[in-house]
Amino acid sequence: MISLQNLHSFGLPACAKSIEWVNSISQLVALFKADQSTLILGEGTNTIFVDDYLGSVGRVNLLGQEIVEHEKHYSVLAHAGENWHQLVYGLMQKGIHGLENLALIPGSVGAAPVQNIGAYGAEFADFCESVHCYDPDNNEHLILSSDECRFGYRDSVFKHVSANHLIITAVQVRLAKQWQPNLSYQGLNTLSKNVSASDIFNQVVSIRRQKLPDPVEIGNAGSFFKNPVIAKSTYQALLEERPSIPSFVVDEGWLKVPAAWLIEQCGFKGKHWEGIACHHNHPLVLTNLGNGTGQSLLTAAKEIQKTVQHTFGVHLINEVRLVGANGLVEL
Ligand code: NAP
């Protein structure tokens, strides 16, 4: 068995039967030919191994970027193993703007479409032209249009059974030459209308550094739970008991409620379990104090989930991918 501890940012002690670095498409194809059940890993910033994984792991390391200039936009093809933040930064340095609100999101380019990463009023889907994939079941290479990716709030076709077997090999994004700042979000709406893309980039980086623990220093996988989207009727009932509950409109019938607020109200902010903590600044983030185990993490997560359900009647779903001995684990 080979250690996975340094291959996932939560850093729990776990091993896999084998780990292969995938540097080319032909290697990817060969890996699945040898073992159809290979688990694909990017930078491991959204996956937590809660136990030894009994199968093989393929660590995607497909690198490279190609930029094509069109009359009104740039089309950027970035391979799945590139680092997302380095892509955002590198494009900004070249004067290609648009992705700055998505600065410092941890993880690889290949992970971006899966949960349709989003932050500070922008999301991957806003820029996606297509996603290149490998379908190991049929040994086929596919290019999915943005519509075919069926993006939703932290959601896409890649999370659903219809396509969750597809391996993302590259993404193509479209960035308009006529850049417009996106300052709708709290923290950015105090910036002047004449800001540059690098001002927004710096502001987003600064907010994230203040609020979120750096996985290099404290093991974590970012937001542990999704921010729940609840029916307006459920929200109105909650509002009667808790007039201070924050919310953001999603559409006519649905509202988004910050999971961090719900968790904090239940008294978990700063709480410790054996080797696991609910972060003292941002309670949506669970951290590994260095001696955490998969079992204590699951205990902490289930306790939070159960208490929020009991207190507010709202069901929290994990945003991170939890992997146990035989694959995905449900909370
Ligand atoms: P936050 O800013 O405290 O926001 C918490 C919740 O309130 C989120 O659901 C957020 O929606 C919503 N919200 C806040 N201001 C809003 C506005 N002006 N309009 C609409 N909705 C608003 O969240 P945080 O945890 O510190 O994270 C900061 C940003 O990074 C957020 O945008 C969050 O979604 C994002 N993030 C994304 C991922 C990911 O892609 N997997 C992981 C961690 C954090 P939105 O989520 O729509 O912004």
Side-chain angles (χ1 to χ4, degrees):
M1 298 289 275
I2 301 167
S3 176
L4 288 160
Q5 196 159 15
N6 294 327
L7 288 184
H8 66 135
S9 61
F10 207 91
L12 293 177
C15 294
K17 190 176 78 181
S18 67
I19 301 169
E20 287 274 349
W21 283 70
V22 178
N23 300 310
S24 66
I25 300 282
S26 55
Q27 250 183 311
L28 182 69
V29 172
L31 194 60
F32 277 96
K33 209 169 167 192
D35 182 355
Q36 273 286 340
S37 64
T38 300
L39 182 115
I40 287 293
L41 192 62
E43 292 183 18
T45 54
N46 203 48
T47 296
I48 305 180
F49 290 95
V50 293
D51 202 349
D52 286 340
Y53 178 60
L54 301 178
S56 346
V57 168
R59 168 66 168 82
V60 170
N61 194 38
L62 301 167
L63 301 176
Q65 291 173 25
E66 289 136 50
I67 302 172
V68 179
E69 185 172 355
H70 296 272
E71 192 192 336
K72 294 193 172 160
H73 72 277
Y74 294 96
S75 197
V76 180
L77 182 79
H79 292 267
E82 292 280 328
N83 173 269
W84 175 262
H85 177 69
Q86 289 307 323
L87 173 71
V88 174
Y89 179 69
L91 290 173
M92 198 183 63
Q93 294 291 88
K94 292 185 176 80
I96 302 175
H97 302 140
L99 298 180
E100 51 287 337
N101 294 51
L102 303 177
L104 216 63
I105 295 187
S108 62
V109 163
V114 179
Q115 56 168 317
N116 183 19
I117 56 167
Y120 302 100
E123 61 181 13
F124 177 79
D126 301 338
F127 308 97
C128 178
E129 273 190 331
S130 62
V131 174
H132 297 219
C133 314
Y134 172 61
D135 173 358
D137 296 351
N138 300 303
N139 193 22
E140 253 180 5
H141 297 276
L142 307 167
I143 299 181
L144 267 56
S145 68
S146 186
D147 282 350
E148 286 170 320
C149 293
R150 300 218 307 272
F151 291 117
Y153 180 62
R154 303 291 174 271
D155 195 29
S156 74
V157 74
F158 306 108
K159 280 191 151 183
H160 296 269
V161 189
S162 58
N164 67 3
H165 60 295
L166 296 179
I167 312 303
I168 296 169
T169 54
V171 306
Q172 183 143 1
V173 292
R174 179 190 177 99
L175 297 163
K177 285 187 177 172
Q178 201 171 9
W179 175 75
Q180 293 286 341
N182 177 350
L183 303 175
S184 57
Y185 207 94
Q186 205 185 353
L188 303 182
N189 54 13
T190 49
L191 294 173
S192 121
K193 296 275 176 292
N194 300 322
V195 284
S196 65
S198 65
D199 292 334
I200 298 179
F201 177 92
N202 290 334
Q203 181 82 348
V204 169
V205 167
S206 150
I207 302 173
R208 293 190 78 109
R209 287 218 167 108
Q210 273 168 37
K211 279 172 99 170
L212 296 163
D214 181 350
V216 175
E217 287 162 18
I218 306 171
N220 77 86
S223 301
F224 190 91
F225 295 102
K226 277 193 186 193
N227 288 305
V229 174
I230 62 174
K232 205 171 176 180
S233 52
T234 312
Y235 176 75
Q236 265 150 2
L238 274 174
L239 199 57
E240 284 181 19
E241 282 177 39
R242 309 268 181 158
S244 62
I245 186 168
S247 70
F248 298 93
V249 173
V250 173
D251 60 34
E252 227 175 82
W254 299 88
L255 293 141
K256 213 180 337 160
V257 173
W261 187 89
L262 301 171
I263 295 169
E264 184 169 355
Q265 294 296 305
C266 292
F268 288 114
K269 191 176 182 178
K271 179 170 173 168
H272 285 199
W273 291 259
E274 272 174 67
I276 300 292
C278 179
H279 195 252
H280 56 275
N281 266 348
H282 201 325
L284 191 50
V285 179
L286 299 183
T287 63
N288 176 4
L289 297 171
N291 55 340
T293 62
Q295 207 43 54
S296 56
L297 174 67
L298 292 177
T299 302
K302 281 180 187 163
E303 189 183 328
I304 293 171
Q305 189 188 47
K306 209 169 141 192
T307 311
V308 168
Q309 175 79 52
H310 181 74
T311 312
F312 296 105
V314 174
H315 185 62
L316 291 183
I317 298 170
N318 48 305
E319 182 185 284
V320 294
R321 180 169 72 146
L322 300 170
V323 179
N326 298 303
L328 288 188
V329 171
E330 299 274 333
L331 261 194

